[in-house]
Amino acid sequence: MSTRSQESEAVESHEAVESDIEKPRKPTGDRTALLAAGAVLAACGGLALYGALDTGEDGGKPERRTPTAAVTYEVTGQGTADITYQARSETGEAVVVKAATLPWRKTVDVPLGEEPIVSIVLGGKGGQARCTLTIRGEYVQGSTATGAFGRATCSGALPRT
């Protein structure tokens, strides 16, 4: 037998021995895909369960809506005036507008049972300005301020219900 054929047989024999030995297998990705599919399925099941159990109601206290009435405050005249008025606030806090250019008008919702009020204060230069109060489109009261730092107030009463 020639040396070349002996070498060839040795290589083939060596390859046969290597093929009989089990080599560690690389993961094929099937396990990863299976885990991902399981996670997606669990998430979908959780959302479906949440949708079936959710009643659509807020678990807390229901929102308290205070009934209101539309109130229009109006200040006519020339120049500027500081204006204070009551708006929608359960705490009764007033809104202040400093140096408002006249004429000025504002319609707001005031909680029933509160007393809508608008006050004006003229500047040091004086002048003349008139405030009026209208509730639900009906005139309630008017008042006029004149002179330096002149003041006027208009108020009315809202029903409790």
Side-chain angles (χ1 to χ4, degrees):
M1 196 184 269
S2 74
T3 323
R4 189 169 275 247
S5 21
Q6 287 176 345
E7 286 178 7
S8 178
E9 282 180 25
V11 169
E12 287 175 12
S13 172
H14 181 67
E15 286 177 357
V17 170
E18 277 188 11
S19 68
D20 291 340
I21 300 174
E22 286 191 32
K23 295 180 182 177
R25 295 182 358 199
K26 294 182 181 177
T28 60
D30 291 340
R31 180 176 255 167
T32 305
L34 186 60
L35 288 173
V40 169
L41 184 61
C44 289
L47 287 173
L49 183 61
Y50 175 76
L53 297 177
D54 185 24
T55 61
E57 297 176 6
D58 185 12
K61 295 180 182 177
E63 183 181 338
R64 200 173 96 180
R65 309 264 309 152
T66 304
T68 61
V71 175
T72 301
Y73 303 115
E74 188 170 9
V75 180
T76 57
Q78 294 180 343
T80 62
D82 292 342
I83 303 170
T84 305
Y85 65 93
Q86 165 86 38
R88 181 179 177 87
S89 169
E90 292 181 21
T91 61
E93 293 177 25
V95 177
V96 178
V97 181
K98 294 283 189 182
T101 303
L102 303 181
W104 177 91
R105 179 184 176 116
K106 182 82 172 179
T107 300
V108 296
D109 290 327
V110 176
L112 295 182
E114 295 292 328
E115 183 176 308
I117 187 168
V118 60
S119 299
I120 56 175
V121 178
L122 300 176
K125 294 181 181 178
Q128 183 173 353
R130 178 172 175 78
C131 66
T132 58
L133 174 69
T134 305
I135 298 175
R136 293 181 176 153
E138 293 187 33
Y139 173 83
V140 175
Q141 188 179 37
S143 184
T144 303
T146 58
F149 303 106
R151 298 173 179 265
T153 300
C154 296
S155 63
L158 291 177
R160 297 224 172 259
T161 57

